[in-house]
């Protein structure tokens, strides 16, 4: 028997609650997912539609602010398993339907809307991994001769595995087991999560770097920079297979194929460099703002010191024998001192915020 599925990762935000109650991770998926990750996942089980012949499972990870949709096609689409694998790029772009006349995007969007409501789709960034297929039989000549596909042995010795940027095709000449698709879907989920997290982090850094900074009032900018740095710290472990996949054989395959299907070493290095540069930029902005703030406070201190010298010089502090003009000078000096001290308090409070 053949089996076909697809994977998409969507940014949904940290505080978006699922509209449906979570359910236990299906045992078929649980055995392939690392135990450290299972406790951070809210699994939303899908219902098979007799009309569409597709079932979608949603894996929500609030810590990473992402939802992973795993769509498994029904028997009606399996006759075109080889064609879907070969034309995976067209499926991702929506140039051909994954099930009947429905495009892959409409299938995945429907699953997200059912789980979180249609509002989650507005402006959300998404990363789609195309066809994941386990196909009975040997690979056709056009597949084996395609030098754009990375070949790997797969989980079983008789599996011939071909991987591209957006597709995984596993050919099983001796027949495919009913659950043989699941580990390859988990593998595709790792590739897609890795690419999505790295892409969104890099985009956030670039967008923030292009935003002008008012070093006199940098609090909003620094708060956003801190949020991106926190996301980077939380997300970096998820970029490695050992922090998502629970089976060592599948981890080894993921590491071997990561450059072909997820992040190349250059892309990973670029993302790390961007986060490092952001940290240095934040330090520079914070130091500049602190320097400006310190100069303001120094001016206030100097002003208060001058007032004290003037009060002492005119002997205005000897109040029992003070003249009327000395009382006026004292009152004026205290007003100015209060204004100066009030300014210092306001400046310090704004800086702390």
């Amino acid at each position: 028997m053949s089996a076909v599925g697809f994977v998409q990762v969507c940014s949904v935000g940290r505080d978006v609650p699922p509209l449906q109650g979570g359910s236990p991770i299906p045992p078929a998926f649980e055995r392939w997912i690392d135990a450290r990750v299972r406790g951070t996942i809210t699994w939303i089980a899908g219902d098979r539609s007799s009309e569409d012949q597709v079932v979608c499972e949603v894996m929500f990870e609030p810590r990473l602010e992402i939802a992973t949709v795993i769509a498994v096609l029904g028997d009606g689409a399996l006759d075109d398993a080889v064609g879907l694998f070969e034309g995976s790029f067209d499926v991702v772009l929506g140039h051909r339907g994954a099930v009947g006349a429905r495009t892959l995007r409409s299938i995945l969007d429907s699953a997200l809307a059912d789980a979180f409501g249609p509002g989650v789709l507005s402006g959300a960034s998404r990363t789609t991994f195309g066809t994941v297929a386990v196909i009975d039989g040997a690979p056709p000549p056009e597949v084996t001769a395609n030098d754009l596909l990375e070949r790997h042995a797969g989980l079983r010795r008789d599996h011939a595995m071909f991987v591209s940027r957006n597709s995984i095709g596993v050919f099983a000449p001796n027949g495919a087991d009913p659950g043989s698709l699941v580990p390859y879907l988990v593998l595709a989920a790792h590739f897609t999560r890795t690419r999505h997290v790295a892409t969104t982090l890099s985009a956030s850094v670039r967008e923030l770097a292009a935003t002008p900074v008012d070093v006199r009032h940098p609090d909003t900018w620094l708060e956003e920079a801190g949020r991106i740095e926190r996301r980077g710290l939380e997300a970096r472990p998820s970029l490695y297979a050992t922090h998502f996949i629970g089976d060592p054989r599948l981890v080894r395959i993921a590491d071997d194929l990561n450059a072909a299907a997820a992040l190349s070493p250059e892309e990973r290095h670029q993302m790390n460099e961007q986060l490092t540069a952001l940290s240095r930029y934040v330090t520079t902005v914070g130091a500049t703002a602190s320097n400006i703030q310190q100069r303001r406070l120094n001016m206030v201190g100097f002003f208060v010191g001058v007032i004290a010298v003037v009060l002492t010089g005119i002997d205005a502090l000897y109040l029992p024998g003070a003249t009327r003009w000395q009382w006026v000078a004292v009152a004026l000096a205290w007003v100015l001192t209060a204004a100066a001290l009030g300014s210092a308090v306001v400046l310090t409070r704004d800086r702390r915020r």
Side-chain angles (χ1 to χ4, degrees):
M1 69 179 287
S2 298
V4 179
F6 301 95
V7 175
Q8 183 184 82
V9 175
C10 177
S11 296
V12 296
R14 179 177 293 267
D15 301 323
V16 176
L19 298 184
Q20 298 179 4
S23 60
I25 301 175
F29 283 91
E30 185 178 27
R31 62 163 295 198
W32 300 102
I33 298 175
D34 190 87
R36 293 170 295 181
V37 179
R38 295 174 201 160
T40 68
I41 292 175
T42 299
W43 195 276
I44 305 171
D47 296 323
R48 179 179 292 277
S49 169
S50 58
E51 178 183 354
D52 296 331
Q53 286 294 300
V54 60
V55 60
C56 292
E57 309 275 355
V58 179
M59 184 174 63
F60 178 44
E61 298 178 80
R63 182 175 55 86
L64 297 179
E65 304 178 17
I66 60 173
T68 302
V69 185
I70 300 174
V72 180
L73 304 192
D75 298 337
L78 301 186
D79 295 338
D80 194 28
V82 177
L84 286 172
F85 166 65
E86 292 178 334
S88 186
F89 190 69
D90 288 333
V91 175
V92 171
L93 294 180
H95 295 164
R96 63 179 292 184
V99 179
R102 292 195 69 191
T103 63
L104 176 61
R105 185 181 181 108
S106 67
I107 293 172
L108 300 175
D109 282 358
S110 177
L112 285 169
D114 289 343
F116 300 99
V120 75
L121 303 175
S122 178
S125 60
R126 283 171 279 199
T127 303
T128 304
F129 193 93
T131 310
V132 182
V134 177
I135 303 165
D136 281 334
E142 58 268 24
V143 172
T144 57
N146 191 339
D147 57 0
L148 297 179
L149 297 174
E150 190 79 18
R151 183 164 184 169
H152 199 278
L155 279 172
R156 287 176 43 174
R157 292 182 179 179
D158 63 330
H159 283 183
M161 183 178 179
F162 296 85
V163 178
S164 74
R165 184 74 168 177
N166 283 307
S167 63
I168 295 175
V170 181
F171 294 86
N174 298 327
D177 298 329
S180 58
L181 179 65
V182 173
Y184 296 108
L185 285 172
V186 173
L187 180 65
H190 163 66
F191 290 150
T192 315
R193 290 165 78 254
T194 299
R195 195 190 312 170
H196 182 84
V197 168
T199 300
T200 53
L201 276 175
S202 295
S204 297
V205 173
R206 289 195 303 270
E207 183 179 351
L208 185 67
T211 304
V213 185
D214 183 0
V215 292
R216 295 180 180 276
H217 302 90
D219 300 322
T220 301
W221 189 93
L222 288 174
E223 182 178 348
E224 177 63 17
R227 189 182 69 85
I228 295 174
E229 288 188 316
R230 175 185 54 77
R231 283 182 55 205
L233 288 173
E234 291 183 339
R236 281 188 182 184
S238 69
L239 304 181
Y240 298 92
T242 52
H243 288 265
F244 178 69
I245 298 175
D247 184 90
R249 297 170 299 163
L250 201 59
V251 168
R252 184 170 62 251
I253 295 174
D255 290 339
D256 291 343
L257 298 173
N258 188 74
L263 290 181
S264 67
E266 293 77 14
E267 290 173 316
R268 192 181 296 273
H269 175 74
Q270 181 184 21
M271 185 205 66
N272 289 330
E273 285 293 308
Q274 285 180 318
L275 291 174
T276 301
L278 174 63
S279 180
R280 293 172 180 169
Y281 191 20
V282 167
T283 301
T284 301
V285 171
T288 303
S290 296
N291 186 43
I292 293 174
Q293 182 66 28
Q294 188 60 50
R295 288 205 302 266
R296 289 175 176 174
L297 294 176
N298 289 344
M299 290 298 297
V300 171
F302 175 77
F303 185 57
V304 172
V306 169
I307 294 174
V309 171
V310 170
L311 290 174
T312 303
I314 62 175
D315 204 21
L317 298 178
Y318 184 65
L319 299 182
T323 64
R324 182 159 112 19
W325 292 109
Q326 286 175 323
W327 277 107
V328 171
V330 169
L332 180 60
W334 279 116
V335 169
L336 295 175
T337 302
L341 292 176
S343 300
V345 171
V346 170
L347 290 173
T348 303
R349 184 182 59 189
D350 289 344
R351 178 65 191 135
R352 287 178 178 174
R353 282 188 307 194

